[in-house]
Amino acid sequence: MKKKAKAEIDLSTEEKIKEAARKVFTRKGYAATRTRDIAEEAGLNLALLNYYFRSKSKLFEMIMAEKMQQFFGFMLPVINNADTSVQEKVELITSKYMELLMENPDLPYFVLSEIRNTPDYFMKITDSGNFLSKSIFIRQIREKAPGRNPFHYLINLLGMCVFPFIMNPVLQKMGALDEKTFAKMMKERKTLIPAWIKSMLEED
Amino acid sequence: MKKKAKAEIDLSTEEKIKEAARKVFTRKGYAATRTRDIAEEAGLNLALLNYYFRSKSKLFEMIMAEKMQQFFGFMLPVINNADTSVQEKVELITSKYMELLMENPDLPYFVLSEIRNTPDYFMKITDSGNFLSKSIFIRQIREKAPGRNPFHYLINLLGMCVFPFIMNPVLQKMGALDEKTFAKMMKERKTLIPAWIKSMLEED
DNA sequence: ATCTGTTTTAATCAAATGATTAAATTATTT
DNA sequence: AAATAATTTAATCATTTGATTAAAACAGAT
């Protein structure tokens, strides 16, 4: 459609738009976001959006793919690493997730509320069919706790990492937690969650 | 504005609208829902919505209040009951929540993604300021695990109940879980979660 | 059956919003 | 500096969408 001329300027403007889109989409969700919001947030005219990206939905898809990658991406290699124990995997996933979420507290809201509307191809991340069930991580859990469906523990692990960030706005509004206390707790959870998972698995 | 004439007919139509609104709002969220969707879902004309409810937002507020009540309502009396132990409270909350969520799997998505946009008055449920911190439940947890912030455990409890329903669509799409297995697991969790919480609290 | 008030509908309005266009501005090349 | 290409803007379009209106259909009372 148009050739890129000055990579720097181009990148700058394009990146400004993407940055603004990230921000607004993540905060308000797809439907509630107006292209004008994004333009304003980026300090640019509306037409730029449609100049750089063909449409609102194209722009969204790009952000969405990026966020999905952030949210699920790093987990896959960890999960299929044959050289680490369950416990090491749990520790890795926990600390990585807690750090990611502390930097992007809106991420869970966004990913989880948009995921349902997202067409099936968002599953591109997961090349094979039910690769998850066959993953080393799940197999390792199955060995540790043979009587139970291993997904119980995967759900618990992810839930204990992610759910606090979902509940946080509620708890803050209710005056139950302040921002500082919350941050402190999230740091604590980096070591607490692996310990909790461990005792769950041993208890059997 | 208008007096009710035939209570039955009135209720029927009004209830039809509310039922449709519940369905569409819960599935798509406020912004993505068009009043026409609701009308169609109810098998009625658009103008009816504005006849019975002044506006989309009024209708939404009604549904929202209802869902908030469902989601948080029953917990309050349990939490402040002086006659039950921590463990009994955990069991009560777990089984109640699991049943509620199995009947309304969309509830978490809806409540949690709309709650942030909702004006502050949604906190009406929580009359006093930080009543939660002063609740008997939190105090009981504090006694059991004096070194830790008690909200860790409350978050874990709610997370282990709610989060599976948030992850379920993802897991199903990935082919990791089928509907039947999921339902079975949710039943299992009614007893598993209290046990897990117990061991967390005892471990300290 | 006629009248009265309620319920429902089709048609329409006005504002919001995604997208386009054509012109103006800026930068780069020759 | 002139020419060319890239970038940005203001103005405008077409569609969607929340809401209203005025009239028709209906039910119950007299």
Side-chain angles (χ1 to χ4, degrees):
Chain A
M1 185 196 293
K2 245 345 169 354
K3 279 175 291 177
K4 311 257 172 121
K6 261 281 136 78
E8 299 158 40
I9 292 171
D10 194 41
L11 256 180
S12 157
T13 299
E14 186 170 330
E15 201 43 54
K16 238 189 282 174
I17 295 176
K18 276 175 70 174
E19 187 56 43
R22 243 188 297 276
K23 208 162 165 181
V24 181
F25 275 137
T26 309
R27 196 171 56 236
K28 317 216 298 180
Y30 179 75
T33 296
R34 296 166 307 148
T35 52
R36 283 162 172 81
D37 295 336
I38 301 174
E40 192 186 355
E41 175 74 38
L44 295 169
N45 187 287
L46 204 173
L48 265 292
L49 301 194
N50 293 302
Y51 176 76
Y52 279 98
F53 306 87
R54 282 173 47 81
S55 67
K56 177 186 177 185
S57 54
K58 291 267 180 208
L59 182 52
F60 178 77
E61 273 169 34
M62 167 168 301
I63 306 298
M64 182 68 182
E66 201 182 285
K67 293 291 168 189
M68 294 286 295
Q69 180 59 33
Q70 266 191 320
F71 198 80
F72 293 110
F74 85 87
M75 212 171 35
L76 301 187
V78 175
I79 270 181
N80 269 315
N81 187 339
D83 299 333
T84 54
S85 67
V86 197
Q87 202 52 29
E88 283 168 323
K89 287 188 180 64
V90 170
E91 279 162 25
L92 261 171
I93 291 172
T94 303
S95 74
K96 257 290 192 116
Y97 253 120
M98 296 311 288
E99 276 158 30
L100 172 67
L101 293 171
M102 285 174 80
E103 277 166 31
N104 307 273
D106 278 342
L107 198 56
Y109 265 112
F110 177 72
V111 171
L112 296 174
S113 64
E114 298 295 339
I115 212 171
R116 42 189 355 208
N117 311 320
T118 303
D120 289 343
Y121 64 70
F122 93 91
M123 276 308 147
K124 262 182 292 192
I125 303 173
T126 71
D127 11 318
S128 92
N130 57 346
F131 82 104
L132 193 54
S133 310
K134 293 170 190 152
S135 72
I136 295 180
F137 188 40
I138 290 292
R139 252 187 287 158
Q140 286 174 321
I141 296 177
R142 203 176 272 124
E143 277 168 33
K144 278 258 181 184
R148 292 262 106 83
N149 187 321
F151 284 100
H152 275 304
Y153 304 100
L154 179 62
I155 290 172
N156 288 350
L157 171 57
L158 295 184
M160 290 198 287
C161 290
V162 174
F163 195 73
F165 292 87
I166 296 178
M167 278 298 282
N168 185 32
V170 183
L171 292 174
Q172 297 236 1
K173 277 204 184 176
M174 284 174 36
L177 282 183
D178 58 76
E179 205 179 331
K180 223 173 158 184
T181 309
F182 179 76
K184 191 176 153 225
M185 284 175 68
M186 292 309 105
K187 266 188 219 140
E188 290 168 3
R189 286 176 91 83
K190 280 203 225 178
T191 57
L192 285 173
I193 291 172
W196 287 328
I197 294 284
K198 188 171 182 227
S199 74
M200 276 183 207
L201 281 169
E202 282 168 358
E203 186 189 351
D204 187 48
Chain B
M1 186 197 287
K2 249 335 170 358
K3 277 175 292 177
K4 313 255 172 122
K6 261 283 137 76
E8 299 158 40
I9 292 171
D10 195 43
L11 256 180
S12 159
T13 299
E14 187 171 330
E15 201 42 55
K16 240 188 282 177
I17 294 176
K18 277 175 69 175
E19 187 57 41
R22 240 188 300 273
K23 209 162 165 181
V24 182
F25 275 136
T26 308
R27 196 171 57 234
K28 317 216 297 180
Y30 180 75
T33 296
R34 295 168 308 150
T35 52
R36 284 163 172 80
D37 294 337
I38 301 174
E40 192 186 354
E41 175 74 39
L44 295 169
N45 188 288
L46 204 174
L48 265 291
L49 302 193
N50 294 301
Y51 176 76
Y52 278 98
F53 307 88
R54 281 173 46 83
S55 66
K56 177 186 177 185
S57 55
K58 290 268 180 207
L59 181 53
F60 179 77
E61 274 169 33
M62 169 168 301
I63 306 298
M64 183 69 181
E66 202 182 284
K67 293 292 167 187
M68 294 286 295
Q69 179 60 33
Q70 265 190 319
F71 199 80
F72 293 111
F74 85 87
M75 211 169 39
L76 301 186
V78 175
I79 269 180
N80 269 314
N81 187 339
D83 299 332
T84 54
S85 67
V86 196
Q87 203 53 29
E88 283 168 324
K89 287 187 179 65
V90 171
E91 280 162 25
L92 261 170
I93 291 173
T94 303
S95 74
K96 257 296 194 114
Y97 252 121
M98 297 309 289
E99 277 158 29
L100 172 67
L101 293 171
M102 286 174 79
E103 278 166 30
N104 308 272
D106 279 341
L107 198 55
Y109 265 112
F110 177 72
V111 170
L112 296 174
S113 64
E114 298 295 339
I115 213 171
R116 45 191 349 210
N117 312 320
T118 303
D120 290 343
Y121 64 69
F122 93 91
M123 276 308 148
K124 261 183 291 191
I125 302 173
T126 71
D127 10 318
S128 92
N130 58 347
F131 83 104
L132 192 55
S133 311
K134 292 170 190 150
S135 71
I136 294 179
F137 188 41
I138 291 293
R139 252 187 287 158
Q140 285 174 321
I141 296 178
R142 203 176 271 123
E143 276 168 33
K144 278 256 179 183
R148 293 262 106 81
N149 187 321
F151 283 100
H152 275 305
Y153 304 99
L154 179 62
I155 290 172
N156 289 350
L157 171 57
L158 295 184
M160 290 199 287
C161 290
V162 173
F163 194 73
F165 292 88
I166 296 178
M167 278 296 283
N168 185 32
V170 182
L171 293 174
Q172 298 237 359
K173 276 204 186 178
M174 285 175 34
L177 281 183
D178 59 77
E179 205 180 330
K180 223 173 156 183
T181 309
F182 179 76
K184 192 176 154 224
M185 285 174 67
M186 292 310 104
K187 264 186 218 142
E188 289 168 6
R189 287 177 89 84
K190 279 202 223 179
T191 58
L192 285 173
I193 291 172
W196 288 327
I197 294 284
K198 189 170 181 228
S199 74
M200 278 183 206
L201 281 169
E202 282 169 358
E203 187 188 352
D204 185 48

